[in-house]
Amino acid sequence: MAGLATTLGSGAMTNTIGEVSDSACIMAIGTSTTEAHPIIGYQVKKAVRRGAKLIVANPQEVPLVRFADLFLQIRPGSDVALLMGMARVIVEEGLHNQQYIEERTENFEAFKESLSEFSLDFVSDITGVPEEKIVEAARMYAQNSPASLLYCMGITQHSHGTDNVLALSNLALITGNLGNISGGVNPLRGQNNVQGACDMGSLPNVYTGYQKVEDEGARQKFEGSWKIELNPKPGLTHTEIFDAAYRNDVKALYLVGENPVLTEANASHSIEAMEKLEFFVVQDIFLNETAQKADVVLPAASFAEKNGTFVNTERRVQRVRKVIEPVGEAKPDWWIISAIANEMGAEGFAYNSAADIFREISAVTPSYAGITYERLEHGGIQWPCPAEDHPGTPVLHTEKFNTPSGKGKLMPLSYRPSEDCCDFDFPLILTTERSLYQFHSTMTRYSEGLDELSGGEHIKINPADAERMGIADGDLVKVKSRRGELEVKARITRRSQPGVAALSFHFAECPTNLLTSSALDPVAKTPETKVCAISIEKA
Amino acid sequence: MSELITLTIDGVEIKAEKGTSILRAALENGIYIPHLCDHQDLTSVGICRVCLVEIEGRRPTVSCMTPVEEGMVVTTSSEELDMTRKVNMELLILHHDYDCQNCAKNSYCKLQELTRYVGIDEERISAMRAPALDFPIDDSNPYYQRDMNKCVLCGICVRTCEEIQGDECIDFAFRGIETRISVLGDKPIIDSTCVTCGECVSRCPVGALVPQKAIEPTYEVETVCPFCGCGCNILVGARGGKLVSSTAVEDSPVSGGSLCVKGRYGLSFVNSPERLTTPLIRRDGELVEASWEEAISLISEKLGQYKGDQFATIASAKCTVEDNYVLQKFTRAVMGTNNIDHCARL
Amino acid sequence: MYERHILICAGTGCISSGADKVQEALIKSLQEHNLQDKVRIIMSGCHGFCEKGPLFIVFPEDVFYCGVQAEDVPELVEEYLIKGNMVERLLYKDPVSEEIVINHDKIMFYSKQQRLALRNCGVIDPENIDEYIIRGGYLGLKNALKMEPSEVVEEIKSSGLRGRGGAGFPTGMKWQFCLSSEGAKKYVVCNADEGDPGAFMDRSLLEGDPHAVLEGMMITGQAINADEGYIYVRSEYPLAIQRLRTAIRQAEEYGMLGENILGFGFNFKVKIKEGAGAFVCGEETALLASIEGRRGVPRHRPPFPAVEGLWNKPTVINNVETLANVPLILRRGAEQFASVGTEGSKGTKVFALTGKVNNTGLVEVPMGITIREVVFDIGGGIRFGKKFKAAQIGGPSGGCIPEEHLDLPIDFDSLTAAGAMMGSGGLVVVDEDTCMVDLARYFLSFTKKESCGQCIPCRIGTNQMYDILEDITEGRGKPEDVALLEELATAVKKGSMCGLGQTAPNPVLTTLRYFRDEYEAHVNEKRCPALVCKPLLQYYIDAEKCIGCQRCIKACPVDAITGEKKQPHEIDQELCTQCSACFDACPKKVSAVVVVSEGLKTEEEVEVCEEGCKCQS
């Protein structure tokens, strides 16, 4: 989300889910919307039925392609080239919104300069998409307003993920598709409360509401509120934490509701790191693969057993309500942490309810200042909501951007190939994807029936590759990368393009992330799970 | 608000927006016109013929397909209409497996509602030639079953699949009395492209599409789906300390009353016997059950030794806002480090 | 220079009775006698008199030979063409007067007809556009292209032309709606999905005069500003499709189809879409759905196709016969067209005349002609001197008109008032040997199978009516059935969505109206007065007539007949399955087996005889 924060000032979906169906053009890139976000998928399909143009850009022939006017089957990791190539066509053909660019953006000239790199034949060469389709996509996006950009992990999980996001924001800015209804740049958040966790400062560099830890004023405010001196140095990111543990710099880890044994890129490295920890606490609802490595495991209450709030991908803060009593002795996460803090003699953790905590959040978080549990009883509220009489904000940036100048910043970009490159030993690219019937690694595996529907894990290989390698549908194959190997059954399908294979990461039986690369995006520190060089042979 | 039109239904003057069907206008104004194949979320098709009305100066027609017009005079009930409707319902009932007591839709059933309103002539039904209703029940999908002996062929499921889900995995198949809803190749539903969103199941007016294990909840609570970032509003039903149902909140601004397979059918992980129920502490290499007091005092004693940047927290995007707030506050204020992150990037 | 022209009918009917072999034989025989340059063979479209095919008409003298087979050809060539002697056995013999008729226009079958739509059928070679043009073809189009679209519509309006597909909607009005509908793209669709059993009006027209239909479509296109047309034709009509394709190709070559037609700047192209044989696809909205590649089922109207038709564009959809009339109106003027027919129904109508009449075939008659004229003059009366019982008009959804309405004029409104309908033009004549309940059952067996299955009344109602009718004809009728049938038929008629459902009960309703006593005999007395419904029949052997030949004993599949040679035989009623084998086996001169329908005894009436069995006797 660092990308959008740079150019627009906020890293969140700029528009609302309900607006998608009224878009005149939707470009879905790096998202299998119907599988990972089915409800937003319904909106996209509704828009198509109402006559909207749909462009799908994805290395995989995802189910949404069936509804698309234009499918750009790009090579994994070539997003910047595609998007900048489209931008160049738009500017060259004069399809950009000159007035919007003048009034609401800055840095257009430098940006324009950087487009020179992205000639059509270059872009076509990098992406594998025919030139005329790139031109068609550019025209389709620029000429049908409002146009909405939807993206997901297929954009961000790259060593140049931030560039990808910047390229998307560029595209929206030059066509005036930010701040308008049914337009925007819309990252679809993968988990129910990623937005809320980010908003709350479960990030190494910010407090709640994206107030920077390095910012003196922000820090002093929190020191005042929490009545304690705070560390001014930004902390380590997710992947860096495991690297630090591997080096013995981090010795104690408190891990809540995650399963990095399956989800962390280059998982064998992370597993080793966990084994080196001196003290390891895991708090979860299941004794998953990661919890089994802990020194202490704490039983947490599930979503149905506690009160609180979730923030969805469109920044809507909504009430979560307790349906049943927690099973056994399970407790809400906030209760457990508070109990430990109290035991350690800390002040400021005497919470009796989630409502108590939320009052404190509203007090220290400007974008949440107007949100209260009482108001949430009548339905969710989209932040920013600075005051109790403020209705919330369905569309961001309608008047200005949250940048210092108030203008959207166009970013010159250049193409960088992915870190993990194919060679003679690892001739194929592995990309990761999700199944409609599974959710990350844990919960859904315990829900009866979903496994049956998803039919288990398969590596999806294009028929041409399969024929060359002598692999038949259903064969057990050995997949190797520079970091690890695993065995899995093959599924021969045109969903994968030649040279690309795909796996999901839901299954402990097939720990995909043993293979993936943890090369990080230099800004966002997101690992490159979407591009990984592999070899496949019959097991 | 677009143009308002005034019309009269059964002598009552009502106003309706231009473009509204007579049926919807009547229902919105508290006038009941019996109907079966019409659904507020879907395109009207006028195939069940139950909502027949008379319009002054025209031949009887179906009210779901006729838009309101200024000064229209509509009659919903007359001897001729009632008789046509009655025979229509009787024919439908003749071809319906009338096992109400054992039906999951009992008392929510649209056919029961219609029968009550229209009234049927038992004598006439018994004079008719009853068919053998012996379609095998398709329970190939783990979450819902299809019983074609109860299907009334209103086509709501077909339109739902086309218009809401966009999947088009089911359609009318065969002709005449053989007509039924089927999938490509007339195979079990599990072999189709069905993505089990359950949208058709939730809209089926009769017992033809019902959840596999329908358990009536004792009570329901409105909350938010715990899976992806869409954040659909759901009504979760509980009974005996277990979650037994999940349905969409109809006017949800997020989902507009829809759900996907996970939100509708995927919540039973909460009831899993494999849930953690007590704290566990590693003793002699094994994780063994412990009390909260033991666990908390062990953790607080240990963590006291790792304050500063040798400590780190991995928070969770599955936990609530409040959980995350407390967790980062603990990390920063108690442990003195900014080493906190979560899986936002994964 | 040819001295003679021989027209050999090459319609589907005559081809199946050997017309192509006749052609081969004729070519051979003419060559043998070196006559190939003097006699020209024309393979024409259908003459309508299919029953007497293959037809072989010699011009200029107009000698009408019928039932000609390949082996007859040498004789015809040698005796008639060379020597000038009539080959009497191949001439037509009037079934009533038994007199020989030489000229084709003197035959009653033809003399009462007025062939306007069929003007070229059987006259020209349908695979040769020149012959069509010589007969005034494409003049109507030329006239239309000189006119404004609204003027063309006016012309059709004032002609009084009504749709020949069934409902009889005024064609000009339909065009007017479509012309007034907004939209740059419009379509003309020709409905050639002729589905009524026994009907072949459209097929004969397409086979015999395909250009007339094309020209009609183009004129429609000019009238409504459409530049594209579809012909939806059954794939069971391969010859029609082939001739249409030929006609389209030739018209394109002549600049009659395509861009800038006849230099008037008018563009029009025609595509053929083959239907897969669903009867309901003859319903216009189902037909359009089928062209679009969707399931061929009707949808609610309005909106009518003239407003929202093919791919939601305004569309005029007309039947083959309607379109074939259009060029004539544009060529000769509305007034002349309107001079034929009645006040409300102008022009002519083509019927497929079948059933128990002497002359069956395709006939075109002026509107207003009576049923009596069609049956007794054109049809030559009932076969074997039997008694007329009813005329079933309008296909499977039509109605049965009884003897007392024989003088009913055939026009849209009179037929509807009598409970039948014009339909697409099926006319089945039934005689005293036909059971009206069984006839209704037969038609319902067709409509219930062809119901699209969408709406409840038609899907379940037609099936229910069929089940009841089947029960009645098999002796399982219940006293309440007649009233139930009437209620069901009324509800299906009023409640159904499309024309198929709304008219499917017509055979039931009209037979109930005119032949209720037959129903009552079946239900109350378990008796079939026409001796048709097998389970209600009893077979006896008249001991006085029986010669004891044992033929019936050998024929009986269930060994129900006993008897010594030369002794009267007897049928065991317990064992008899009413298969009629004995009746057929009994020598006609003897005719000892008699069929009666005296009524089955009901459960209560069956007396237990001394032996304790429940025999019928």
Side-chain angles (χ1 to χ4, degrees):
Chain A
M1 297 307 119
L4 287 186
T6 314
T7 58
L8 314 176
S10 290
M13 200 166 152
T14 58
N15 292 59
T16 300
I17 293 173
E19 292 169 30
V20 173
S21 60
D22 290 323
S23 298
C25 177
I26 296 166
M27 177 157 172
I29 180 165
T31 159
S32 178
T33 321
T34 55
E35 292 180 294
H37 299 88
I39 294 296
I40 298 174
Y42 296 169
Q43 292 284 327
V44 174
K45 290 183 263 192
K46 198 166 165 185
V48 170
R49 253 199 325 280
R50 290 179 180 177
K53 300 284 181 199
L54 174 63
I55 307 164
V56 173
N58 207 304
Q60 294 294 104
E61 194 174 328
V62 294
L64 194 58
V65 169
R66 214 181 104 200
F67 303 90
D69 293 274
L70 197 55
F71 172 44
L72 314 172
Q73 191 161 27
I74 56 173
R75 296 219 176 91
S78 64
D79 311 79
V80 166
L82 173 72
L83 297 166
M84 290 297 276
M86 284 171 63
R88 179 167 155 158
V89 172
I90 290 171
V91 173
E92 277 183 354
E93 297 196 354
L95 303 173
H96 56 292
N97 185 334
Q98 190 64 39
Q99 192 189 349
Y100 185 92
I101 292 170
E102 280 166 20
E103 286 172 6
R104 300 216 43 197
T105 73
E106 56 191 14
N107 213 24
F108 182 60
E109 288 310 315
F111 164 74
K112 205 167 149 184
E113 199 77 0
S114 80
L115 291 176
S116 62
E117 183 190 332
F118 297 95
S119 64
L120 272 177
D121 56 341
F122 171 76
V123 172
S124 177
D125 210 41
I126 300 291
T127 57
V129 175
E131 293 183 16
E132 60 275 14
K133 279 199 173 184
I134 298 165
V135 174
E136 199 184 341
R139 289 178 186 156
M140 203 178 267
Y141 176 77
Q143 291 177 330
N144 293 283
S145 178
S148 176
L149 287 167
L150 306 180
Y151 71 91
C152 194
M153 294 303 177
I155 280 291
T156 52
Q157 285 178 345
H158 288 281
S159 58
H160 41 72
T162 302
D163 285 357
N164 287 347
V165 176
L166 293 176
L168 285 166
S169 121
N170 285 341
L171 209 50
L173 282 171
I174 59 169
T175 51
N177 273 308
L178 276 162
N180 55 346
I181 290 176
S182 297
V185 177
N186 298 297
L188 310 181
R189 314 303 306 254
Q191 304 211 26
N192 55 329
N193 198 33
V194 191
Q195 192 65 54
C198 291
D199 294 353
M200 284 308 103
S202 284
L203 294 169
N205 59 337
V206 290
Y207 303 116
T208 66
Y210 308 94
Q211 305 172 77
K212 292 196 168 66
V213 297
E214 284 172 304
D215 182 274
E216 187 87 37
R219 196 168 65 248
Q220 277 171 5
K221 183 173 111 182
F222 279 91
E223 286 176 339
S225 168
W226 293 347
K227 301 188 178 65
I228 197 158
E229 200 178 316
L230 293 173
N231 186 340
K233 195 179 94 203
L236 301 173
T237 65
H238 201 284
T239 311
E240 288 169 340
I241 287 172
F242 286 100
D243 289 345
Y246 193 82
R247 295 192 307 266
N248 276 328
D249 291 344
V250 162
K251 297 189 172 71
L253 180 63
Y254 199 107
L255 186 143
V256 180
E258 265 214 51
N259 192 9
V261 169
L262 288 192
T263 58
E264 191 70 5
N266 194 3
S268 50
H269 170 80
S270 316
I271 294 166
E272 272 180 65
M274 281 182 251
E275 281 160 359
K276 289 186 177 184
L277 289 166
E278 291 175 13
F279 189 58
F280 184 22
V281 182
V282 170
Q283 185 168 305
D284 206 303
I285 62 172
F286 289 107
L287 188 65
N288 61 28
E289 292 77 7
T290 306
Q292 285 165 12
K293 301 191 181 301
D295 296 302
V296 183
V297 179
L298 301 174
S302 74
F303 86 104
E305 298 156 351
K306 61 186 174 187
N307 284 305
T309 49
F310 286 159
V311 187
N312 77 353
T313 188
E314 44 165 11
R315 299 170 280 106
R316 195 187 299 271
V317 184
Q318 306 193 99
R319 275 284 274 119
V320 175
R321 295 182 183 86
K322 185 168 159 179
V323 184
I324 52 172
E325 286 301 320
V327 295
E329 294 172 36
K331 298 285 184 193
D333 295 88
W334 63 262
W335 182 95
I336 302 171
I337 311 289
S338 302
I340 294 168
N342 289 330
E343 180 78 10
M344 290 174 78
E347 278 182 38
F349 288 88
Y351 304 115
N352 285 316
S353 67
D356 282 354
I357 303 165
F358 199 86
R359 269 190 290 277
E360 186 174 317
I361 295 169
S362 304
V364 297
T365 314
S367 54
Y368 279 56
I371 308 178
T372 65
Y373 266 35
E374 289 72 33
R375 288 189 68 187
L376 292 179
E377 278 308 305
H378 307 293
I381 296 171
Q382 286 173 284
W383 63 257
C385 176
E388 281 212 34
D389 56 0
H390 188 283
T393 311
V395 183
L396 291 180
H397 320 305
T398 49
E399 273 152 34
K400 66 183 192 63
F401 295 98
N402 297 341
T403 53
S405 61
K407 293 196 170 189
K409 191 166 185 191
L410 287 160
M411 298 296 285
L413 294 171
S414 59
Y415 170 73
R416 282 187 291 130
S418 299
E419 298 275 323
D420 203 34
C421 290
C422 295
D423 60 17
F424 185 77
D425 293 324
F426 299 101
L428 295 168
I429 297 174
L430 175 75
T431 191
T432 56
E433 55 184 12
R434 283 170 213 246
S435 156
L436 166 68
Y437 304 105
Q438 297 289 345
F439 181 76
H440 272 246
S441 67
T442 310
M443 287 137 67
T444 48
R445 297 302 304 281
Y446 292 94
S447 289
E448 287 166 52
L450 286 173
D451 264 13
E452 197 177 318
L453 289 174
S454 65
E457 180 69 301
H458 290 88
I459 186 160
K460 301 182 189 85
I461 308 172
N462 183 276
D465 292 333
E467 201 187 322
R468 192 164 35 75
M469 298 183 291
I471 292 166
D473 197 72
D475 280 358
L476 194 65
V477 295
K478 184 177 278 181
V479 186
K480 279 192 209 166
S481 81
R482 296 186 176 101
R483 287 153 297 276
E485 61 176 68
L486 52 79
E487 288 190 354
V488 63
K489 278 186 181 169
R491 162 78 28 91
I492 314 302
T493 167
R494 287 201 169 73
R495 180 176 170 132
S496 290
Q497 58 179 298
V500 178
L503 276 171
S504 79
F505 52 89
H506 307 299
F507 297 86
E509 303 89 301
C510 176
T512 306
N513 282 314
L514 287 176
L515 305 173
T516 53
S517 159
S518 59
L520 295 183
D521 178 277
V523 184
K525 306 284 164 97
T526 308
E528 187 158 60
T529 58
K530 293 293 176 194
V531 183
C532 159
I534 54 160
S535 68
I536 300 177
E537 57 190 67
K538 247 179 152 160
Chain B
M1 195 79 163
S2 66
E3 201 183 324
L4 274 185
I5 278 172
T6 308
L7 68 156
T8 313
I9 302 182
D10 287 347
V12 183
E13 193 177 283
I14 64 163
K15 286 190 193 308
E17 258 181 75
K18 195 179 173 186
T20 319
S21 71
I22 295 175
L23 175 63
R24 287 289 142 199
L27 294 174
E28 279 158 24
N29 283 279
I31 299 170
Y32 182 74
I33 300 177
H35 59 281
L36 179 61
C37 71
D38 200 67
H39 191 284
Q40 60 200 19
D41 301 342
L42 306 170
T43 317
S44 299
V45 287
I47 57 170
C48 76
R49 319 303 293 170
V50 177
C51 70
L52 276 178
V53 292
E54 279 165 9
I55 302 166
E56 212 173 70
R58 302 187 200 179
R59 286 194 299 188
T61 188
V62 282
S63 59
C64 66
M65 294 300 292
T66 313
V68 292
E69 282 171 33
E70 190 61 47
M72 219 175 211
V73 178
V74 181
T75 314
T76 71
S77 180
S78 71
E79 201 178 319
E80 190 183 314
L81 284 178
D82 291 352
M83 182 64 181
T84 307
R85 197 137 54 202
K86 219 168 165 171
V87 174
N88 196 356
M89 290 311 303
E90 288 158 4
L91 288 168
L92 201 55
I93 281 160
L94 187 73
H95 280 255
H96 179 82
D97 181 7
Y98 231 52
D99 183 19
C100 292
Q101 283 90 335
N102 294 312
C103 182
K105 284 279 169 68
N106 191 11
S107 85
Y108 311 113
C109 173
K110 195 92 187 172
L111 199 55
Q112 289 176 332
E113 172 192 313
L114 286 171
T115 314
R116 212 158 47 230
Y117 182 87
V118 173
I120 49 168
D121 185 340
E122 289 286 354
E123 222 169 89
R124 189 160 43 224
I125 295 182
S126 58
M128 291 181 193
R129 274 47 170 183
L133 294 170
D134 51 6
F135 288 110
I137 290 172
D138 180 357
D139 57 1
S140 60
N141 187 292
Y143 292 123
Y144 68 91
Q145 62 179 41
R146 305 169 72 237
D147 183 352
M148 288 302 107
N149 302 304
K150 290 185 178 154
C151 178
V152 291
L153 290 169
C154 64
I156 285 177
C157 56
V158 175
R159 277 173 286 146
T160 300
C161 199
E162 184 186 333
E163 296 174 21
I164 305 280
Q165 171 53 249
D167 196 48
E168 303 177 34
C169 87
I170 45 174
D171 205 343
F172 287 84
F174 307 100
R175 273 192 270 173
I177 200 73
E178 309 286 331
T179 308
R180 61 181 181 274
I181 307 296
S182 187
V183 304
L184 190 65
D186 200 25
K187 289 180 175 162
I189 190 81
I190 196 74
D191 295 330
S192 73
T193 57
C194 170
V195 293
T196 318
C197 65
E199 291 290 313
C200 59
V201 179
S202 73
R203 285 183 180 79
C204 179
V206 294
L209 292 169
V210 292
Q212 282 282 17
K213 297 176 199 112
I215 300 171
E216 287 275 301
T218 328
Y219 61 91
E220 289 182 312
V221 175
E222 182 177 334
T223 184
V224 178
C225 173
F227 290 109
C228 77
C230 292
C232 300
N233 308 103
I234 51 176
L235 271 180
V236 176
R239 177 156 156 179
K242 298 215 181 285
L243 305 190
V244 294
S245 64
S246 169
T247 49
V249 173
E250 287 223 345
D251 53 358
S252 163
V254 178
S255 66
S258 291
L259 286 181
C260 78
V261 57
K262 295 190 284 284
R264 198 184 300 278
Y265 302 119
L267 300 184
S268 63
F269 71 89
V270 171
N271 305 334
S272 168
E274 293 182 54
R275 282 282 302 278
L276 282 167
T277 52
T278 65
L280 304 172
I281 293 175
R282 192 170 295 279
R283 292 200 171 110
D284 302 328
E286 292 290 313
L287 284 170
V288 294
E289 292 191 359
S291 71
W292 273 111
E293 289 74 22
E294 283 174 283
I296 284 170
S297 87
L298 173 66
I299 293 168
S300 57
E301 182 208 316
K302 281 280 190 181
L303 290 189
Q305 304 163 20
Y306 296 103
K307 287 197 178 179
D309 289 341
Q310 52 185 330
F311 175 79
T313 299
I314 303 278
S316 174
K318 295 182 196 82
C319 292
T320 63
V321 163
E322 292 77 0
D323 295 333
N324 275 287
Y325 178 78
V326 174
L327 199 51
Q328 60 90 30
K329 183 177 174 184
F330 172 78
T331 306
R332 293 186 162 114
V334 180
M335 297 304 292
T337 180
N338 286 310
N339 286 347
I340 179 167
D341 201 358
H342 69 289
C343 64
R345 299 174 182 85
L346 293 177
Chain C
M1 194 58 194
Y2 293 115
E3 290 169 2
R4 279 201 172 96
H5 293 250
I6 297 178
L7 280 179
I8 300 176
C9 178
T12 294
C14 285
I15 286 180
S16 57
S17 41
D20 46 354
K21 292 204 180 70
V22 173
Q23 181 192 16
E24 274 172 41
L26 183 58
I27 292 170
K28 196 168 154 241
S29 182
L30 289 177
Q31 274 166 352
E32 280 167 11
H33 296 96
N34 205 19
L35 286 172
Q36 65 268 32
D37 297 329
K38 299 221 165 110
V39 180
R40 180 168 174 238
I41 308 170
I42 298 167
M43 300 303 285
S44 76
C46 182
H47 291 242
F49 213 176
C50 311
E51 195 205 355
K52 299 282 178 214
L55 306 182
F56 186 107
I57 310 169
V58 188
F59 287 101
E61 56 270 44
D62 185 15
V63 176
F64 185 83
Y65 289 109
C66 52
V68 176
Q69 293 297 314
E71 53 267 29
D72 301 325
V73 171
E75 184 186 347
L76 279 173
V77 172
E78 284 158 29
E79 284 300 315
Y80 181 67
L81 292 186
I82 297 174
K83 296 184 190 155
N85 301 327
M86 289 287 174
V87 181
E88 220 164 280
R89 63 180 180 87
L90 293 172
L91 290 169
Y92 177 76
K93 199 199 248 175
D94 189 279
V96 182
S97 64
E98 304 212 327
E99 278 170 20
I100 283 175
V101 187
I102 293 171
N103 299 129
H104 117 280
D105 58 0
K106 303 269 165 31
I107 298 171
M108 280 288 263
F109 179 76
Y110 288 110
S111 58
K112 278 238 173 176
Q113 290 194 46
Q114 190 165 0
R115 291 166 83 93
L116 297 179
L118 299 172
R119 58 195 176 276
N120 291 326
C121 285
V123 178
I124 63 166
D125 175 357
E127 302 199 4
N128 186 344
I129 190 173
D130 290 333
E131 298 201 7
Y132 179 70
I133 292 170
I134 289 165
R135 301 259 304 168
Y138 291 110
L139 275 179
L141 173 66
K142 197 176 168 190
N143 290 342
L145 292 179
K146 288 182 196 153
M147 296 156 77
E148 285 298 310
S150 58
E151 291 171 342
V152 183
V153 172
E154 263 329 300
E155 192 70 13
I156 296 296
K157 268 185 173 173
S158 56
S159 76
L161 177 66
R162 291 170 70 171
R164 303 304 197 226
F169 190 82
T171 305
M173 206 130 85
K174 190 186 265 189
W175 291 14
Q176 177 71 62
F177 288 142
C178 192
L179 178 63
S180 325
S181 291
E182 279 180 36
K185 181 76 188 176
K186 294 178 184 177
Y187 292 97
V188 179
V189 175
C190 169
N191 183 347
D193 190 54
E194 187 172 50
D196 292 3
F200 56 104
M201 295 73 67
D202 295 347
R203 193 196 71 208
S204 297
L205 253 167
L206 292 173
E207 287 175 4
D209 196 13
H211 286 285
V213 179
L214 291 181
E215 189 184 350
M217 288 178 76
M218 283 185 260
I219 293 169
T220 315
Q222 163 71 3
I224 63 164
N225 289 323
D227 65 351
E228 199 173 347
Y230 277 87
I231 303 176
Y232 187 90
V233 55
R234 300 165 66 83
S235 57
E236 295 94 325
Y237 284 0
L239 185 61
I241 293 166
Q242 178 216 311
R243 290 198 175 147
L244 271 172
R245 288 196 200 288
T246 307
I248 290 172
R249 201 190 61 236
Q250 289 179 351
E252 278 166 357
E253 284 165 10
Y254 274 58
M256 298 288 186
L257 261 180
E259 308 271 300
N260 192 20
I261 293 167
L262 296 173
F264 284 90
F266 172 66
N267 304 328
F268 200 79
K269 57 182 172 188
V270 174
K271 291 179 185 157
I272 296 177
K273 170 86 188 174
E274 291 181 39
F279 179 68
V280 75
C281 284
E283 197 281 342
E284 57 181 16
T285 58
L287 186 151
L288 296 177
S290 177
I291 293 182
E292 291 172 10
R294 294 184 290 118
R295 181 174 160 88
V297 294
R299 61 155 176 80
H300 180 85
R301 299 175 306 176
F304 288 92
V307 180
E308 256 179 60
L310 193 58
W311 287 297
N312 296 326
K313 305 280 184 271
T315 301
V316 156
I317 170 163
N318 276 132
N319 152 278
V320 171
E321 191 186 331
T322 316
L323 288 169
N325 274 304
V326 166
L328 213 55
I329 297 170
L330 268 290
R331 177 149 62 91
R332 299 187 188 161
E335 216 170 301
Q336 191 176 345
F337 182 85
S339 68
V340 180
T342 66
E343 183 60 36
S345 306
K346 300 293 184 197
T348 57
K349 178 76 193 91
V350 182
F351 285 97
L353 179 63
T354 56
K356 305 290 178 66
V357 280
N358 279 307
N359 302 331
T360 63
L362 200 66
V363 303
E364 182 173 353
V365 291
M367 295 277 190
I369 193 171
T370 64
I371 298 174
R372 187 185 300 280
E373 287 172 281
V374 173
V375 172
F376 288 94
D377 296 344
I378 296 173
I382 310 298
R383 277 186 194 177
F384 310 122
K386 296 264 183 180
K387 207 166 160 288
F388 171 89
K389 189 171 198 176
Q392 206 278 349
I393 302 187
S397 336
C400 295
I401 308 288
E403 198 182 357
E404 65 252 41
H405 288 313
L406 262 179
D407 291 311
L408 193 74
I410 296 181
D411 63 63
F412 289 105
D413 310 308
S414 308
L415 287 178
T416 307
M421 61 181 208
M422 188 74 88
S424 54
L427 206 164
V428 186
V429 178
V430 301
D431 66 8
E432 55 190 315
D433 290 344
T434 307
C435 168
M436 299 313 280
V437 184
D438 186 58
L439 188 73
R441 184 200 59 79
Y442 166 75
F443 283 118
L444 259 294
S445 77
F446 179 83
T447 39
K448 74 145 189 168
K449 242 191 301 189
E450 296 295 342
S451 160
C452 84
Q454 275 191 115
C455 75
I456 304 165
C458 176
R459 177 178 75 239
I460 309 181
T462 53
N463 191 66
Q464 188 61 220
M465 285 192 282
Y466 173 79
D467 285 351
I468 293 170
L469 288 166
E470 190 181 58
D471 275 0
I472 295 177
T473 55
E474 291 180 2
R476 294 186 300 272
K478 297 184 278 186
E480 60 272 29
D481 281 346
V482 178
L484 179 59
L485 265 181
E486 208 153 29
E487 285 164 352
L488 285 171
T490 311
V492 172
K493 195 179 175 78
K494 288 189 174 145
S496 292
M497 177 160 83
C498 80
L500 192 150
Q502 285 160 10
T503 57
N506 281 347
V508 176
L509 285 169
T510 49
T511 49
L512 273 172
R513 180 163 153 192
Y514 299 118
F515 304 94
R516 201 182 188 90
D517 52 335
E518 287 197 31
Y519 280 87
E520 277 160 2
H522 280 77
V523 169
N524 300 332
E525 299 161 40
K526 300 286 184 282
R527 196 166 60 76
C528 176
L531 302 180
V532 170
C533 300
K534 287 242 160 87
L536 302 182
L537 305 182
Q538 295 91 41
Y539 285 80
Y540 292 108
I541 294 171
D542 186 338
E544 309 238 313
K545 289 187 183 166
C546 181
I547 55 167
C549 69
Q550 289 194 325
R551 282 200 179 89
C552 56
I553 295 180
K554 288 191 192 100
C556 180
V558 293
D559 295 331
I561 310 176
T562 49
E564 296 301 314
K565 227 175 162 78
K566 310 242 164 138
Q567 295 294 313
H569 303 339
E570 201 176 344
I571 300 176
D572 182 342
Q573 297 300 324
E574 279 287 281
L575 297 176
C576 176
T577 57
Q578 294 88 32
C579 73
S580 191
C582 52
F583 185 88
D584 300 337
C586 187
K588 285 282 155 292
K589 281 181 209 153
V590 180
S591 291
V593 180
V594 286
V595 197
V596 294
S597 184
E598 295 175 328
L600 302 178
K601 290 189 174 153
T602 57
E603 203 61 23
E604 301 84 65
E605 285 168 354
V606 174
E607 287 171 29
V608 180
C609 66
E610 284 160 21
E611 285 84 32
C613 74
K614 291 181 179 180
C615 56
Q616 291 283 338
S617 53

